[in-house]
Amino acid sequence: MSEEVKKRSDISEELKWDLSAIFESQEAFETALHALPKEVEAFSTKYDGHLTGVNTVVEALKAYEKIIAKASHLGQYSYLPVSVDISDSKAQEQARYTSNILASASAKMSFFQSQIEDLDETMLNAIVEIEPTYEAYVRKIKKSKLAKLDPKVEEALAQLSPVLDSPEEIFEQARSADADYGTFEVDGKEYPLSFVLYEEVYMYSEDPKIRRAAYDKFNETLSQYKNVVATAYYTKLQTEKTLATMRGYDSIFDYLLEEQEVSQELYNRQIDTIMTDFAPVMRKFVTHLKDVHGMDKMTYADLKVDLDPDYTTPVSVEESKDLVKKAMAPLGEDYVNMILRAYPERWVDFAQNHGKRSGAFCSTTYGKHPYVMVSYTGQLSDAYTLFHEFGHAGQGILSNKNNPLTSVSPSLYLIEAPSTYNELLLTDYLKEEAKDPRMERNVLSKMISKTYFHNFVTHLLEAAYQREVYRLIDEGKSFDADKLSELKRNVLEEFWGDSVELEAGAELTWMRQIHYYMGLYPYTYSAGLTIATQAFLKIKSGEASVDGWLEFLALGGRKAPAEATKVAGVDITTDQPLKDTINYLDESVDRIIELTREITNN
């Protein structure tokens, strides 16, 4: 990414996504938005209080899905422009207006869920007999009916959703719009700084002076907003705790994991095993990183430095297309061609512009192709990010194709498996192409520093910290910014030990990630990568098939996680996949160290 960030209006169209696949024009969007309340009113008039026969219920379900799909299209069309330019006040206004319309529609439609949950077991089973595709939906209804509230309360909660979800927007505005990161100086030269510039550029700088100066200035600015962000976070968690109590859950963990169809045992095992068993592997890796660079110490600001920056391979947008063809080839021609549509149809927003949120995501809505947001700088690391998001896109397309809307979404526990699997495919292809020790070392270090650092370290440490904060809330306690910093520092110290010096600012990492506002989401990155790694290793060895993996991608929410992963040849009811993954990584780090010796001795 260039240090000079352009305005959105100065970005060429080919680097932006094309939203016309959702609505062909702004007028078409506005027409659909204004029509939605009338469609919802008609649905309500026809079915509210009339879900008495199984045929009527099935008919209503199909009509319900059509309206929800339209609402999803409206939400996506209004949200995506804000994600690429938070400074666009017109887009913000449209997004908020749309959010209010959708909240009203959701409130008006809330009777449907309540009345479906009121149906007895015999009626619910009859729905599946008539329309087997609704089996997963009925399975979830049987669980949710145990925690249902009075219909008027459910309606009020739906109407309040923009307010209840506002802490996430407050956080985003504070870190990306209000915060002025200014500039920093190194050896007489002044450098511009923003949230995205730090996260996407300076954090990876080869120059330790630039890397550490940017870190200091970045955290100095973040600290000025710590109290408002802590308050927003407390508001979000207290809302979740209140809802958990209202719905009869003893613990906020049970409430948030219920929708994932995952037990606390699986949740805690994922965090605890990595904190204890994987920490030594990463300490070994970063110590080697320090030694290769001849640094006197490894600081928190240095963790993302490349092992061999002079060997970093540039990858243009056009070249990324070739990588997709070659690296994803093991998934078959149909899969590759499906993903390649992203380029001519402009699914991807590659642009680097002012106001664009940091990170990357894939947005999938029913009946439309996915949209991917990245900030593409032309490096191999960006290709990894693109492959990751294309993994989500592939699963989204296949799930949409093979499931009704009411059961299209996989459990969050599974959601990061397809994305990280595609990163492993890229690594495997690059490793096969490696012609010498330096190239092989570069590929393996990329796998560690990109795929596993991101998912098994960054997000896992988010999860470990998040668990401590949720425990406070479960116990009826509160927190402020200083308490959050204390908890974050404790987690970092536990994981890194004395291998990393945690200078001032490390504790503010809790201010840098929006995942905390998405329930128990951060731990699912490592859970997904565990599934992906085990499946990848089994397919490579011939123990499992690519067909099984593709079938897994098409499942949507048809099966709970423990059953879904078995389709891909992975049994998550045991700790074996996690142990195998950690062992694979330990061997990879040892191989990196061995290759360094070869390179040094030649």
Side-chain angles (χ1 to χ4, degrees), residues 48-305:
D48 190 359
H50 303 296
L51 299 175
T52 53
V54 66
N55 289 319
T56 302
V57 172
V58 171
E59 175 188 274
L61 262 170
K62 293 178 179 179
Y64 174 80
E65 288 180 318
K66 290 179 181 178
I67 294 176
I68 296 302
K70 290 180 181 179
S72 174
H73 302 159
L74 290 164
Q76 189 185 46
Y77 190 86
S78 66
Y79 162 73
L80 292 179
V82 177
S83 66
V84 293
D85 190 359
I86 200 171
S87 65
D88 186 337
S89 58
K90 186 176 180 181
Q92 283 278 11
E93 182 181 354
Q94 177 170 280
R96 288 171 179 168
Y97 177 71
T98 304
S99 178
N100 289 333
I101 294 290
L102 295 180
S104 295
S106 179
K108 188 74 174 177
M109 297 272 284
S110 65
F111 79 88
F112 185 72
Q113 177 85 358
S114 295
Q115 291 177 26
I116 291 290
E117 288 172 339
D118 282 337
L119 299 177
D120 61 30
E121 194 93 356
T122 302
M123 177 72 86
L124 291 173
N125 291 338
I127 293 172
V128 178
E129 289 178 15
I130 291 179
E131 196 64 67
T133 58
Y134 289 130
E135 182 178 2
Y137 173 72
V138 168
R139 181 186 81 236
K140 293 178 181 179
I141 285 292
K142 288 179 179 179
K143 291 183 178 180
S144 67
K145 70 185 298 179
L146 302 176
K148 68 187 288 292
L149 300 173
D150 182 273
K152 290 297 181 184
V153 177
E154 296 286 6
E155 182 179 351
L157 289 174
Q159 188 72 60
L160 283 168
S161 59
V163 178
L164 299 179
D165 293 337
S166 63
E168 180 177 340
E169 185 180 350
I170 293 170
F171 165 72
E172 193 66 78
Q173 289 286 347
R175 71 165 181 169
S176 300
D178 289 347
D180 182 356
Y181 296 88
T183 62
F184 64 95
E185 187 176 305
V186 174
D187 294 335
K189 181 179 178 181
E190 194 171 54
Y191 296 84
L193 183 63
S194 68
F195 191 96
V196 174
L197 275 174
Y198 179 74
E199 292 270 331
E200 305 289 349
V201 179
Y202 297 125
M203 188 165 64
Y204 302 93
S205 175
E206 299 169 30
D207 188 332
K209 290 183 180 179
I210 293 176
R211 198 166 60 239
R212 293 173 182 177
Y215 172 91
D216 290 339
K217 180 64 177 179
F218 177 72
N219 285 298
E220 176 189 326
T221 304
L222 274 186
S223 66
Q224 297 170 20
Y225 296 86
K226 66 179 184 179
N227 293 315
V228 68
V229 173
T231 301
Y233 189 41
Y234 176 75
T235 302
K236 178 65 176 180
L237 267 60
Q238 196 56 54
T239 298
E240 291 174 333
K241 178 60 177 175
T242 300
L243 290 171
T245 301
M246 288 172 63
R247 295 190 181 281
Y249 290 91
D250 295 330
S251 164
I252 195 171
F253 293 100
D254 290 334
Y255 167 64
L256 294 173
L257 290 171
E258 177 70 39
E259 188 176 359
Q260 296 182 23
E261 299 186 277
V262 169
S263 67
Q264 282 200 49
E265 179 187 0
L266 261 66
Y267 166 73
N268 288 318
R269 182 177 71 198
Q270 195 69 29
I271 297 173
D272 293 336
T273 304
I274 292 178
M275 288 294 290
T276 55
D277 294 359
F278 186 54
V281 177
M282 285 308 299
R283 291 173 192 170
K284 179 167 57 176
F285 177 72
V286 298
T287 299
H288 183 63
L289 197 61
K290 173 180 72 71
D291 293 342
V292 168
H293 282 279
M295 294 187 288
D296 59 335
K297 60 183 177 181
M298 172 63 72
T299 73
Y300 195 69
D302 299 322
L303 282 173
K304 292 300 183 75
V305 67

Side-chain angles (χ1 to χ4, degrees), residues 281 284 444 582-592:
V281 177
K284 179 167 57 176
L444 289 174
I582 292 172
N583 183 62
Y584 171 65
L585 293 169
D586 195 21
E587 291 175 350
S588 296
V589 171
D590 286 343
R591 177 60 178 162
I592 289 170

Side-chain angles (χ1 to χ4, degrees), residues 443-464:
V443 171
L444 289 174
S445 67
K446 277 288 187 296
M447 179 183 75
I448 299 293
S449 63
K450 179 63 180 173
T451 303
Y452 287 95
F453 199 117
H454 190 63
N455 299 289
F456 252 54
V457 180
T458 301
H459 294 318
L460 190 281
L461 294 182
E462 289 170 6

Side-chain angles (χ1 to χ4, degrees), residues 20-23 73 76 363-371 396-397 400:
S20 65
I22 312 174
F23 291 101
H73 302 159
Q76 189 185 46
S363 175
T364 303
T365 185
Y366 200 75
K368 305 291 182 180
H369 69 61
Y371 282 90
I397 294 170
N400 283 351

Side-chain angles (χ1 to χ4, degrees), residues 319-320 322-330 380 384 387 421-435 439 443 536 540:
E319 288 168 336
S320 73
D322 192 53
L323 279 180
V324 168
K325 292 177 183 176
K326 294 175 179 177
M328 293 187 191
L380 180 58
Y384 270 94
F387 266 61
Y421 186 92
N422 278 14
E423 290 191 53
L424 293 174
L425 284 179
L426 178 55
T427 294
D428 192 54
Y429 168 75
L430 294 172
K431 193 163 65 171
E432 290 295 324
E433 291 293 299
K435 307 299 183 186
M439 186 183 292
V443 171
F536 174 78
K540 284 284 289 183

